[in-house]
Amino acid sequence: MAEVLVLVDHVDGEVKKVALELLTLARRLGEPSAVWVGPGSEGAKGKLAEYGAAKVYVAADEELTAYVVAPKVELLAQLVADKAPAGVLVAATGEGKEIAGRLAVKLDSGVLTDVVDVADGFVGEHSIFGGGVIAHARVKRGTPIVAVRPNSVAPEIAPAAGAEEQVSVTLSDAAKTAKVVEKVVQEKGERPDLTEAAIVVSGGRGVGNAENFKLIEGLADTLGAAVGASRAATDAGWYPHQFQVGQTGKTVSPQLYIAVGISGAIQHRAGMQTSKTIIAINKDSEAPIFELVDFGVVGDLFQVAPQLTEEITKRK
């Protein structure tokens, strides 16, 4: 069975959820081999093996993380040349898509981006026009390079060997032209990361203004949830754009998604419709969001949300 290389997204030695999703997809296509770039792999190898990594290629040289994406591209290109994998999977993040594009050029191969599923033969599935159209595509030349949208598939445990193999690459001068001179850690509150949260509470146009988003935050905090927002709310300046859920924002797939004052425009649905359970609160019984939900509450959010928050608090 041919290898499938999976580039591992990690922060300070902690494996990101999307890496586990990619390993789950890779098992359909061949034998998953995780590629870890930079230091900190010691505590992560067990997690990667738990989710199916038969091998873990570790390139621990700190020089590989001292520059922008080019060193990762050169490492992957060398692994493709040495191991002849069936394909390469990366996360369709800003960095991941740049890596995919550069690697495709270097290998003279085809690339698929923003894929939401991958079938046998590396046939990529794309959800376009806000989820209104599903398209399938396949790379025609070279080693398939596929950038998969985070939260497109649920990670599944499938223990494997996780055999470690140290690898290295000699960087070209071209790979060293953009050096990382400073890293600033964004301050995080107590709420979980939006794309990795098990519960998400999102507010939309119906919330009315920025001040009223305290209702959304209050409900989220009682549930230990992340806070999201619709495009209408972020465009109006009521909540920061980094919390936008939708086709042009973040894609989430939590166990529970609560949409408060969100009509359910197709571009918003594209970012949350794979959630396991969806609850909507909206005073308009004809709102499109109700076509998608598991449970719907037709009512004034300014009455329903505080009552819901109060009841949850009582039961804690």
Side-chain angles (χ1 to χ4, degrees):
M1 185 179 293
E3 285 184 85
V4 178
L5 299 181
V6 172
L7 181 62
V8 178
D9 268 26
H10 60 90
V11 177
D12 297 329
E14 182 180 347
V15 179
K16 301 288 283 184
K17 178 187 170 189
V18 66
L20 308 180
E21 296 169 7
L22 295 180
L23 287 171
T24 299
L25 277 176
R27 293 202 307 272
R28 304 179 189 173
L29 307 166
E31 184 177 75
S33 292
V35 180
W36 182 283
V37 181
S41 66
E42 295 78 11
K45 288 181 291 185
K47 189 81 167 179
L48 297 172
E50 182 183 10
Y51 282 84
K55 292 182 183 177
V56 181
Y57 294 115
V58 178
D61 190 344
E62 291 190 16
E63 184 183 36
L64 298 177
T65 57
Y67 302 93
V68 187
V69 299
K72 293 181 181 179
V73 175
E74 294 201 348
L75 174 65
L76 287 172
Q78 178 175 296
L79 285 172
V80 170
D82 292 345
K83 308 298 181 180
V88 180
L89 300 183
V90 302
T93 58
E95 179 180 285
K97 287 189 279 191
E98 183 174 355
I99 289 171
R102 286 172 176 256
L103 183 60
V105 171
K106 188 172 285 290
L107 297 177
D108 193 26
S109 296
V111 60
L112 304 176
T113 64
D114 277 324
V115 167
V116 297
D117 199 4
V118 187
D120 189 41
F122 284 85
V123 176
E125 180 176 302
H126 300 262
S127 177
I128 59 178
F129 298 120
V133 175
I134 300 297
H136 295 90
R138 180 186 294 177
V139 169
K140 294 177 65 176
R141 183 176 66 197
T143 302
I145 301 158
V146 184
V148 182
R149 189 182 297 174
N151 290 310
S152 295
V153 63
E156 297 174 1
I157 292 175
E164 179 180 333
E165 182 177 328
Q166 294 288 330
V167 293
S168 61
V169 62
T170 301
L171 298 180
S172 67
D173 290 338
K176 301 178 183 179
T177 54
K179 185 177 179 62
V180 177
V181 296
E182 183 182 11
K183 291 184 179 181
V184 179
V185 179
Q186 183 178 6
E187 290 188 16
K188 295 180 65 177
E190 296 181 357
R191 298 186 188 111
D193 181 85
L194 179 58
T195 58
E196 302 199 2
I199 305 174
V200 174
V201 180
S202 288
R205 191 191 304 274
V207 175
N209 57 49
E211 181 70 17
N212 290 339
F213 254 85
K214 290 179 180 178
L215 287 173
I216 308 301
E217 293 178 330
L219 177 56
D221 290 342
T222 61
L223 292 165
V227 174
S230 70
R231 179 174 176 176
T234 58
D235 283 353
W238 300 344
Y239 218 68
H241 278 281
Q242 71 229 49
F243 297 101
Q244 181 190 329
V245 174
Q247 186 177 24
T248 55
K250 302 282 180 66
T251 299
V252 300
S253 187
Q255 294 297 314
L256 174 62
Y257 187 88
I258 303 177
V260 183
I262 295 175
S263 64
I266 193 168
Q267 82 87 25
H268 182 78
R269 294 166 64 162
M272 46 67 73
Q273 60 191 356
T274 59
S275 303
K276 305 305 178 291
T277 301
I278 301 171
I279 298 174
I281 302 170
N282 200 298
K283 66 181 180 181
D284 180 7
S285 62
E286 301 298 321
I289 192 71
F290 287 122
E291 300 172 2
L292 189 65
V293 302
D294 298 284
F295 302 97
V297 180
V298 179
D300 187 341
L301 71 88
F302 297 105
Q303 295 179 8
V304 176
Q307 291 178 31
L308 180 56
T309 302
E310 182 180 348
E311 285 299 319
I312 294 169
T313 303
K314 286 180 182 178
R315 300 185 185 196
K316 292 179 70 175

mmCIF file of all heavy atoms in Angstrom, residues 34 54-55 60 69 76 151 172 179-180 187 196 201 204 208 231 241-242 259 266 297 302:
data_model
loop_
_atom_site.group_PDB
_atom_site.id
_atom_site.type_symbol
_atom_site.label_atom_id
_atom_site.label_comp_id
_atom_site.label_asym_id
_atom_site.label_seq_id
_atom_site.Cartn_x
_atom_site.Cartn_y
_atom_site.Cartn_z
ATOM 1 N N ALA A 34 2.804 10.736 8.700
ATOM 2 C CA ALA A 34 2.786 12.124 9.162
ATOM 3 C C ALA A 34 4.151 12.764 8.938
ATOM 4 O O ALA A 34 5.191 12.107 9.083
ATOM 5 C CB ALA A 34 2.412 12.173 10.639
ATOM 6 N N ALA A 54 1.176 5.483 10.332
ATOM 7 C CA ALA A 54 2.056 4.312 10.352
ATOM 8 C C ALA A 54 3.505 4.728 10.535
ATOM 9 O O ALA A 54 4.296 4.022 11.156
ATOM 10 C CB ALA A 54 1.888 3.523 9.058
ATOM 11 N N LYS A 55 3.852 5.888 9.973
ATOM 12 C CA LYS A 55 5.197 6.451 10.135
ATOM 13 C C LYS A 55 5.065 7.916 10.527
ATOM 14 O O LYS A 55 4.070 8.582 10.194
ATOM 15 C CB LYS A 55 5.997 6.360 8.832
ATOM 16 C CG LYS A 55 6.363 4.966 8.387
ATOM 17 C CD LYS A 55 7.188 5.028 7.100
ATOM 18 C CE LYS A 55 7.520 3.638 6.592
ATOM 19 N NZ LYS A 55 8.265 3.693 5.302
ATOM 20 N N ALA A 60 13.421 17.861 12.688
ATOM 21 C CA ALA A 60 13.422 18.657 13.916
ATOM 22 C C ALA A 60 14.296 19.908 13.845
ATOM 23 O O ALA A 60 14.306 20.703 14.781
ATOM 24 C CB ALA A 60 13.876 17.780 15.080
ATOM 25 N N VAL A 69 7.161 29.717 4.449
ATOM 26 C CA VAL A 69 6.796 28.361 4.046
ATOM 27 C C VAL A 69 7.784 27.576 3.163
ATOM 28 O O VAL A 69 7.720 26.357 3.115
ATOM 29 C CB VAL A 69 5.442 28.376 3.311
ATOM 30 C CG1 VAL A 69 4.363 28.895 4.229
ATOM 31 C CG2 VAL A 69 5.517 29.236 2.052
ATOM 32 N N LEU A 76 9.019 18.588 1.801
ATOM 33 C CA LEU A 76 7.999 17.731 1.191
ATOM 34 C C LEU A 76 8.426 17.269 -0.198
ATOM 35 O O LEU A 76 8.207 16.113 -0.573
ATOM 36 C CB LEU A 76 6.664 18.468 1.123
ATOM 37 C CG LEU A 76 5.919 18.657 2.444
ATOM 38 C CD1 LEU A 76 4.716 19.581 2.255
ATOM 39 C CD2 LEU A 76 5.458 17.318 3.013
ATOM 40 N N ASN A 151 -12.247 20.908 9.356
ATOM 41 C CA ASN A 151 -13.587 20.536 9.815
ATOM 42 C C ASN A 151 -14.458 19.931 8.718
ATOM 43 O O ASN A 151 -15.681 19.946 8.819
ATOM 44 C CB ASN A 151 -14.314 21.740 10.449
ATOM 45 C CG ASN A 151 -13.709 22.127 11.778
ATOM 46 O OD1 ASN A 151 -13.517 21.281 12.652
ATOM 47 N ND2 ASN A 151 -13.393 23.400 11.935
ATOM 48 N N SER A 172 17.853 25.438 -0.005
ATOM 49 C CA SER A 172 18.443 26.275 -1.041
ATOM 50 C C SER A 172 18.473 27.723 -0.565
ATOM 51 O O SER A 172 17.783 28.102 0.390
ATOM 52 C CB SER A 172 17.615 26.166 -2.320
ATOM 53 O OG SER A 172 16.328 26.754 -2.114
ATOM 54 N N LYS A 179 12.713 35.538 6.006
ATOM 55 C CA LYS A 179 13.020 35.051 7.344
ATOM 56 C C LYS A 179 11.978 35.539 8.349
ATOM 57 O O LYS A 179 11.512 36.674 8.273
ATOM 58 C CB LYS A 179 14.410 35.533 7.767
ATOM 59 C CG LYS A 179 14.887 34.984 9.105
ATOM 60 C CD LYS A 179 16.295 35.453 9.398
ATOM 61 C CE LYS A 179 16.799 34.947 10.744
ATOM 62 N NZ LYS A 179 16.885 33.486 10.821
ATOM 63 N N VAL A 180 11.632 34.675 9.276
ATOM 64 C CA VAL A 180 10.727 35.058 10.363
ATOM 65 C C VAL A 180 11.559 35.767 11.421
ATOM 66 O O VAL A 180 12.460 35.177 12.027
ATOM 67 C CB VAL A 180 10.036 33.822 10.980
ATOM 68 C CG1 VAL A 180 9.159 34.241 12.145
ATOM 69 C CG2 VAL A 180 9.214 33.091 9.925
ATOM 70 N N GLU A 187 -3.279 37.071 22.119
ATOM 71 C CA GLU A 187 -3.884 36.822 23.421
ATOM 72 C C GLU A 187 -5.194 36.079 23.249
ATOM 73 O O GLU A 187 -6.031 36.437 22.417
ATOM 74 C CB GLU A 187 -4.125 38.138 24.161
ATOM 75 C CG GLU A 187 -2.845 38.822 24.618
ATOM 76 C CD GLU A 187 -3.141 40.012 25.504
ATOM 77 O OE1 GLU A 187 -4.278 40.124 26.002
ATOM 78 O OE2 GLU A 187 -2.227 40.835 25.700
ATOM 79 N N GLU A 196 -12.030 24.559 16.589
ATOM 80 C CA GLU A 196 -11.824 23.289 17.273
ATOM 81 C C GLU A 196 -12.801 23.064 18.423
ATOM 82 O O GLU A 196 -12.749 22.035 19.098
ATOM 83 C CB GLU A 196 -10.380 23.208 17.791
ATOM 84 C CG GLU A 196 -9.355 23.351 16.668
ATOM 85 C CD GLU A 196 -7.984 22.837 17.054
ATOM 86 O OE1 GLU A 196 -7.823 22.336 18.175
ATOM 87 O OE2 GLU A 196 -7.069 22.933 16.217
ATOM 88 N N VAL A 201 -21.621 28.997 19.700
ATOM 89 C CA VAL A 201 -22.813 29.846 19.728
ATOM 90 C C VAL A 201 -22.531 31.047 18.839
ATOM 91 O O VAL A 201 -21.580 31.793 19.088
ATOM 92 C CB VAL A 201 -23.154 30.318 21.154
ATOM 93 C CG1 VAL A 201 -24.405 31.189 21.138
ATOM 94 C CG2 VAL A 201 -23.349 29.123 22.085
ATOM 95 N N GLY A 204 -26.179 36.695 14.772
ATOM 96 C CA GLY A 204 -26.310 37.274 13.442
ATOM 97 C C GLY A 204 -26.935 38.650 13.455
ATOM 98 O O GLY A 204 -26.928 39.355 14.470
ATOM 99 N N GLY A 208 -28.663 42.789 16.524
ATOM 100 C CA GLY A 208 -28.979 44.218 16.512
ATOM 101 C C GLY A 208 -27.823 45.174 16.613
ATOM 102 O O GLY A 208 -27.784 46.178 15.904
ATOM 103 N N ARG A 231 -21.742 36.769 8.670
ATOM 104 C CA ARG A 231 -21.071 37.809 7.896
ATOM 105 C C ARG A 231 -21.760 39.152 8.084
ATOM 106 O O ARG A 231 -21.094 40.194 8.165
ATOM 107 C CB ARG A 231 -21.060 37.423 6.416
ATOM 108 C CG ARG A 231 -20.394 38.460 5.528
ATOM 109 C CD ARG A 231 -20.270 37.978 4.108
ATOM 110 N NE ARG A 231 -19.710 39.006 3.250
ATOM 111 C CZ ARG A 231 -19.407 38.849 1.973
ATOM 112 N NH1 ARG A 231 -19.603 37.676 1.401
ATOM 113 N NH2 ARG A 231 -18.913 39.829 1.266
ATOM 114 N N HIS A 241 -13.945 40.168 12.644
ATOM 115 C CA HIS A 241 -14.050 39.307 11.456
ATOM 116 C C HIS A 241 -13.430 37.928 11.662
ATOM 117 O O HIS A 241 -13.819 36.978 10.989
ATOM 118 C CB HIS A 241 -13.386 39.992 10.254
ATOM 119 C CG HIS A 241 -14.275 40.989 9.573
ATOM 120 N ND1 HIS A 241 -15.272 40.627 8.691
ATOM 121 C CD2 HIS A 241 -14.339 42.343 9.671
ATOM 122 C CE1 HIS A 241 -15.899 41.712 8.261
ATOM 123 N NE2 HIS A 241 -15.359 42.763 8.842
ATOM 124 N N GLN A 242 -12.483 37.816 12.588
ATOM 125 C CA GLN A 242 -11.846 36.511 12.786
ATOM 126 C C GLN A 242 -12.812 35.471 13.348
ATOM 127 O O GLN A 242 -12.513 34.287 13.371
ATOM 128 C CB GLN A 242 -10.631 36.628 13.701
ATOM 129 C CG GLN A 242 -10.955 36.899 15.165
ATOM 130 C CD GLN A 242 -10.135 38.031 15.720
ATOM 131 O OE1 GLN A 242 -10.047 39.101 15.118
ATOM 132 N NE2 GLN A 242 -9.524 37.801 16.857
ATOM 133 N N ALA A 259 -27.412 28.821 16.555
ATOM 134 C CA ALA A 259 -27.490 30.020 15.719
ATOM 135 C C ALA A 259 -28.546 30.947 16.298
ATOM 136 O O ALA A 259 -29.726 30.602 16.351
ATOM 137 C CB ALA A 259 -27.846 29.638 14.286
ATOM 138 N N ILE A 266 -27.129 31.171 2.478
ATOM 139 C CA ILE A 266 -26.412 29.995 1.975
ATOM 140 C C ILE A 266 -24.926 30.066 2.280
ATOM 141 O O ILE A 266 -24.285 29.059 2.566
ATOM 142 C CB ILE A 266 -26.674 29.812 0.462
ATOM 143 C CG1 ILE A 266 -26.202 28.424 0.022
ATOM 144 C CG2 ILE A 266 -26.036 30.920 -0.345
ATOM 145 C CD1 ILE A 266 -26.678 28.048 -1.354
ATOM 146 N N VAL A 297 -36.296 27.214 17.662
ATOM 147 C CA VAL A 297 -37.119 27.999 18.582
ATOM 148 C C VAL A 297 -37.553 29.262 17.852
ATOM 149 O O VAL A 297 -36.712 30.086 17.483
ATOM 150 C CB VAL A 297 -36.340 28.374 19.857
ATOM 151 C CG1 VAL A 297 -37.229 29.201 20.786
ATOM 152 C CG2 VAL A 297 -35.846 27.127 20.565
ATOM 153 N N PHE A 302 -34.056 38.054 22.423
ATOM 154 C CA PHE A 302 -33.784 38.829 23.632
ATOM 155 C C PHE A 302 -34.555 38.297 24.841
ATOM 156 O O PHE A 302 -34.251 38.653 25.977
ATOM 157 C CB PHE A 302 -34.115 40.302 23.394
ATOM 158 C CG PHE A 302 -33.255 40.925 22.324
ATOM 159 C CD1 PHE A 302 -33.775 41.188 21.067
ATOM 160 C CD2 PHE A 302 -31.919 41.209 22.560
ATOM 161 C CE1 PHE A 302 -32.985 41.737 20.070
ATOM 162 C CE2 PHE A 302 -31.116 41.758 21.575
ATOM 163 C CZ PHE A 302 -31.653 42.022 20.327
#
